[in-house]
Amino acid sequence: MQGGPEQETTTDERHSSRVAFEVNDARRELTLDNRTTLLDTLRERLGLIGAKKGCDHGQCGSCTVLLDGRRVKSCLILAVTLDGRSVVTVEGLAGPDELSPLQAAFVAHDAFQCGYCTPGQICSARGMLDEVARGWPSAVTGDLTAPAELTDAEIRERMAGNLCRCAAYPHIVAAVRETATTR
Amino acid sequence: MRPFRYHRPADVAEAVAVLAAEPEAAYLAGGTNLVDLMKLGVQRPDLLVDVTRLPLDAVEELPDGGLRIGATVRNSDLAAHPAVRRDYPVLARALLDAASGQLRNLATTGGNLLQRTRCVYFQDTGKACNKREPGTGCAARHGQNRDLAVLDWSDLCVATHPSDLAVALAALDAVVEVHEPDGPRDVPLAALHRSPGEHPERETTLERGTLITAVRLPALPAARHSTYRKVRDRASFAFAVGSVAAVLDLDGDVVRDVRLAYGAVAHRPWRAYRAEEELRGRPFSPELAARAADAELAEARPLRHNGFKLPLTRAITVRTLTELAEGARS
Ligand code: FES
Ligand code: FES
């Protein structure tokens, strides 16, 4: 992946902002250079290293988190825009000593190898299942006016924003399918 | 990335006034394209005016049967809207074929129309590009130009417009509501994007600082029989190498009305008026659809690596219209 041009430094407070938002149900308030992405804020400022930086350009999905309940790519969101909003990362999906149903299904189905894409896959699947529950169609939905059925083709299309270099895709589909049918 | 100031305007008038006073400011909506281009150094605003909290996020069904879509309605919400799924399937399909679930949750209606070309030379500050930096030349013209334009390009620029949504809106005769420093104005979607000509750095006919506030769809009962077909290098999450938006209205076998637009062929979404002309009033057949596509593409000038776009565009025209015709008959 191509890196950006070198970072220009700033000490000017006009280029920084005080931002308050919720992360995993805790209120966070911090002063940020306006250029800071949500991904870098989570990882570098808040110590939440679950969300991963794969491409930093919106192309791989490893940085996926939930913003006000919806899955988004945190590498493309400027944290300064988030005042008053609520973020959930993979760390917030279940208590510290437990697994959410999706996490348990990923373990049961060996839905990863290196695990780098996994937090993004799980957050994306979490948001995706809620989209299905709301009746949202996808590109492979035949009848746009009928409620979508979560076939394997639907799971693959809806998870297309998350790449896995280890190609654990068949197991990811199995884990998502199991979670969808048992929850 | 260049340091920038951040501002959240109270209303549309203030947003437009700030942009008018700040020559290097830019509007920020979903950010899925702009933030990326800022990271790449392609866009270097010194002030971002965040319009996402302005009250522009409603989809309204209009008394005349049309639809008014606020500029900050997210692509995913628009694709899921019952009226869009029922009355304008071409629009829902174009949205669902674009980007990924996470990006559609961020990307807005207005921002989608104003997104920049994905020409790799434009996105690489180490390469010559008249669009990014007027006067530097076009590295794509004789470079890797497989993904670039076949219609209406100029020697200064061979970029294509990357939006799927805009192609569907072109077919639907959408109207774009904008707010300029002088006040509100309506711009037909067909007149929103420019040909590259001598000024590829100017992509739309909007004055600098203009804010898109909504997109209006006229009532078009025929659009219930409409669809979008997109060809890309992988099954999902990729830009089009060719696409077609089509509305077909048959009276028996005869084409009563048809709307056709192409993506990935030009600097703007390409409404295929000539093809429509060929089709209207004649009994539909796949051969007629092929002739119509040929008429539209007669003036195409493929580049070294993208000649395949002509048979591709012709093939998707024939298949898409034939499927719509079969659907109408059954
Ligand atoms: S790091 Fe955000 S999509 Fe790859
Ligand atoms: S498990 Fe290695 S990238 Fe997906």
Side-chain angles (χ1 to χ4, degrees):
Chain A
M1 276 297 124
Q2 192 177 14
E6 238 168 82
Q7 198 78 346
E8 295 159 47
T9 49
T10 176
T11 49
D12 193 331
E13 65 185 29
R14 295 181 316 147
H15 299 136
S16 303
S17 306
R18 190 94 188 133
V19 190
F21 58 107
E22 244 179 46
V23 182
N24 299 334
D25 286 333
R27 190 188 138 89
R28 305 289 201 149
E29 193 171 340
L30 53 177
T31 300
L32 291 168
D33 183 316
N34 291 341
R35 296 173 292 184
T36 319
T37 61
L38 171 57
L39 177 61
D40 286 341
T41 306
L42 293 170
R43 294 183 56 87
E44 311 291 334
R45 296 292 298 276
L46 301 177
L48 294 166
I49 56 170
K52 298 290 186 285
K53 188 180 285 191
C55 65
D56 211 23
H57 289 281
Q59 297 173 0
C60 74
S62 69
C63 66
T64 302
V65 299
L66 300 165
L67 174 58
D68 293 337
R70 297 159 63 128
R71 55 178 174 159
V72 294
K73 292 188 173 169
S74 62
C75 69
L76 291 181
I77 295 175
L78 296 168
V80 62
T81 64
L82 295 179
D83 228 16
R85 304 188 65 185
S86 164
V87 175
V88 172
T89 68
V90 72
E91 290 93 339
L93 291 180
D97 299 318
E98 53 191 38
L99 296 177
S100 69
L102 263 169
Q103 287 167 312
F106 267 64
V107 172
H109 287 273
D110 281 333
F112 48 82
Q113 288 186 42
C114 76
Y116 197 82
C117 71
T118 311
Q121 299 278 4
I122 289 173
C123 286
S124 183
R126 172 73 269 152
M128 181 274 269
L129 292 174
D130 293 340
E131 292 167 6
V132 174
R134 265 179 267 150
W136 287 12
S138 87
V140 299
T141 307
D143 180 355
L144 286 179
T145 58
E149 225 187 292
L150 199 60
T151 60
D152 284 5
E154 285 277 2
I155 294 173
R156 281 192 212 101
E157 164 59 25
R158 291 170 189 264
M159 292 295 291
N162 292 82
L163 306 190
C164 174
R165 288 301 299 269
C166 301
Y169 298 113
H171 296 201
I172 294 170
V173 172
V176 173
R177 185 203 307 128
E178 184 191 274
T179 312
T181 49
T182 57
R183 73 190 193 131
Chain B
M1 197 189 295
R2 181 183 184 190
F4 58 85
R5 291 164 292 141
Y6 173 81
H7 179 67
R8 214 176 280 144
D11 52 36
V12 168
E14 191 205 328
V16 173
V18 172
L19 260 276
E22 296 270 355
E24 293 185 68
Y27 292 123
L28 173 69
T32 54
N33 188 206
L34 177 60
V35 172
D36 191 28
L37 291 173
M38 288 167 64
K39 290 183 184 192
L40 294 169
V42 172
Q43 286 191 233
R44 297 171 45 81
D46 71 351
L47 168 65
L48 287 185
V49 177
D50 182 353
V51 297
T52 54
R53 300 197 193 200
L54 296 177
L56 302 173
D57 62 348
V59 180
E60 289 165 69
E61 300 190 43
L62 301 174
D64 70 352
L67 207 60
R68 186 167 182 278
I69 304 158
T72 62
V73 172
R74 310 284 170 169
N75 288 179
S76 51
D77 288 317
L78 186 57
H81 194 279
V84 173
R85 288 153 72 177
R86 183 187 65 228
D87 297 338
Y88 304 97
V90 60
L91 178 57
R93 295 256 178 234
L95 288 160
L96 294 169
D97 271 350
S100 68
Q102 295 99 313
L103 293 172
R104 292 192 293 271
N105 275 337
L106 291 171
T108 64
T109 308
N112 185 300
L113 298 180
L114 299 181
Q115 66 179 304
R116 314 298 303 275
T117 183
R118 294 315 194 280
C119 174
V120 294
Y121 299 97
F122 170 74
Q123 296 185 92
D124 181 348
T125 55
K127 297 288 191 301
C129 173
N130 288 318
K131 180 183 286 302
R132 193 183 62 246
E133 237 179 291
T136 55
C138 172
R141 175 74 183 79
H142 299 288
Q144 288 296 325
N145 46 39
R146 171 185 181 273
D147 295 332
L148 302 174
V150 292
L151 282 163
D152 198 36
W153 50 266
S154 76
D155 279 327
L156 297 188
C157 183
V158 294
T160 51
H161 196 267
S163 169
D164 295 297
L165 169 65
V167 179
L169 294 180
L172 294 171
D173 283 321
V175 173
V176 182
E177 299 181 8
V178 304
H179 202 100
E180 294 176 324
D182 298 346
R185 180 165 79 96
D186 279 356
V187 182
L189 187 109
L192 180 69
H193 297 97
R194 293 180 68 257
S195 302
E198 297 297 307
H199 289 286
E201 76 282 7
R202 292 187 208 148
E203 293 177 344
T204 70
T205 55
L206 304 178
E207 251 179 79
R208 197 198 152 271
T210 303
L211 184 67
I212 294 179
T213 53
V215 172
R216 231 169 40 236
L217 300 182
L220 185 63
R224 289 193 171 207
H225 294 283
S226 67
T227 196
Y228 187 72
R229 175 176 246 119
K230 176 174 176 177
V231 179
R232 40 193 158 171
D233 289 330
R234 56 185 185 191
S236 187
F237 194 18
F239 288 94
V241 289
S243 74
V244 56
V247 178
L248 184 64
D249 181 17
L250 293 181
D251 180 7
D253 264 352
V254 174
V255 177
R256 184 167 31 208
D257 196 8
V258 60
R259 310 291 168 90
L260 212 54
Y262 295 143
V265 293
H267 196 256
R268 53 197 170 99
W270 192 264
R271 177 73 182 264
Y273 291 111
R274 283 193 206 181
E276 292 176 9
E277 205 54 41
E278 284 294 310
L279 287 154
R280 225 171 257 125
R282 300 213 161 98
F284 180 81
S285 68
E287 295 71 31
L288 178 69
R291 278 209 304 282
D294 287 343
E296 190 64 46
L297 299 169
E299 281 171 24
R301 292 173 296 147
L303 305 166
R304 177 143 175 242
H305 303 119
N306 69 4
F308 75 96
K309 285 194 176 188
L310 303 185
L312 174 73
T313 304
R314 180 187 207 254
I316 59 179
T317 306
V318 173
R319 261 177 76 177
T320 305
L321 288 174
T322 303
E323 281 171 20
L324 283 174
E326 280 163 3
R329 284 188 192 117
S330 63

